Amino acid sequence: MSDVPQKVDITLLAQYVNKIQELSSTNKMMAPVYLQSMIMGQDCAANLLAKAMQQDSKAKSKVEHAEAIAYLERAKEYLDSKGIKDTSEARKQYVNIDEDVLVAKDNRAMTEALVALLKGKLSQLRQAHDDFKKIAYGDQNLTQYEGM
């Protein structure tokens, strides 16, 4: 397993998200095209989110693994070299400064950020789809006096 999270290509997702801005200047005749784009965008975002969540789970496991290795194997060497008494608390403190643990935590932070971004984009596409569908096809529920 590589220590670096996989790169995710979100250019296709960006194209769908950019279509949201076009919704304000479209008409009912183009509604099916835009609704289909929003559905395809949701599918794209959901697939990317699933992959990102998988990577986040792997990154979490790598953090836990790096912490265990640092605590059980590398802490003793470090503490002996610094002349610090080898205690459980000293080992816990070493884990926070271990280089491999810091790298693993940085990678985990990247995957968490990607998951949060993709959840937001998925929600944005869902809302755009629902709102545009209501505007294009929905009953306005207006009384005979409203809109005068």
Side-chain angles (χ1 to χ4, degrees), residues 13-29:
L13 178 62
Q15 292 172 358
Y16 291 121
V17 171
N18 288 337
K19 286 191 178 208
I20 293 173
Q21 296 173 351
E22 298 173 16
L23 294 179
S24 63
S25 62
T26 189
N27 56 30
K28 281 188 178 187
M29 218 161 108

Side-chain angles (χ1 to χ4, degrees), residues 12 14 25 38 48 55 58 68 95 109 111 119 125 140 146-147:
L12 184 59
S25 62
M38 294 301 109
L48 290 173
Q55 289 299 313
K58 287 180 182 179
V95 168
T111 60
K119 281 182 179 178
L125 287 162
Q140 300 298 323
E146 290 181 43

Side-chain angles (χ1 to χ4, degrees), residues 24 31 34 59 66 81 100 115 119 121 131 143 146:
S24 63
Y34 282 99
S81 71
D100 290 345
V115 167
K119 281 182 179 178
K121 293 302 172 188
D131 292 347
T143 65
E146 290 181 43

Side-chain angles (χ1 to χ4, degrees), residues 78-127:
Y78 178 81
L79 296 172
D80 289 343
S81 71
K82 298 293 183 182
I84 301 170
K85 185 178 177 185
D86 188 4
T87 64
S88 176
E89 189 59 36
R91 285 178 178 248
K92 288 178 186 175
Q93 293 299 321
Y94 171 75
V95 168
N96 294 328
I97 61 169
D98 184 73
E99 190 65 32
D100 290 345
V101 172
L102 295 175
V103 169
K105 285 183 177 182
D106 284 344
N107 289 339
R108 172 80 196 279
M110 284 190 279
T111 60
E112 285 178 329
L114 182 60
V115 167
L117 172 76
L118 291 172
K119 281 182 179 178
K121 293 302 172 188
L122 179 59
S123 175
Q124 185 180 15
L125 287 162
R126 277 188 187 142
Q127 291 172 357

Side-chain angles (χ1 to χ4, degrees), residues 14-73:
Q15 292 172 358
Y16 291 121
V17 171
N18 288 337
K19 286 191 178 208
I20 293 173
Q21 296 173 351
E22 298 173 16
L23 294 179
S24 63
S25 62
T26 189
N27 56 30
K28 281 188 178 187
M29 218 161 108
M30 291 298 294
V33 174
Y34 282 99
L35 289 173
Q36 181 184 15
S37 292
M38 294 301 109
I39 292 169
M40 291 170 60
Q42 288 177 52
D43 183 51
C44 178
N47 286 331
L48 290 173
L49 179 60
K51 290 177 186 176
M53 290 174 84
Q54 178 188 28
Q55 289 299 313
D56 186 50
S57 179
K58 287 180 182 179
K60 181 182 177 188
S61 296
K62 288 179 183 179
V63 167
E64 292 169 355
H65 182 261
E67 287 175 341
I69 295 296
Y71 183 85
L72 297 171
E73 294 179 6

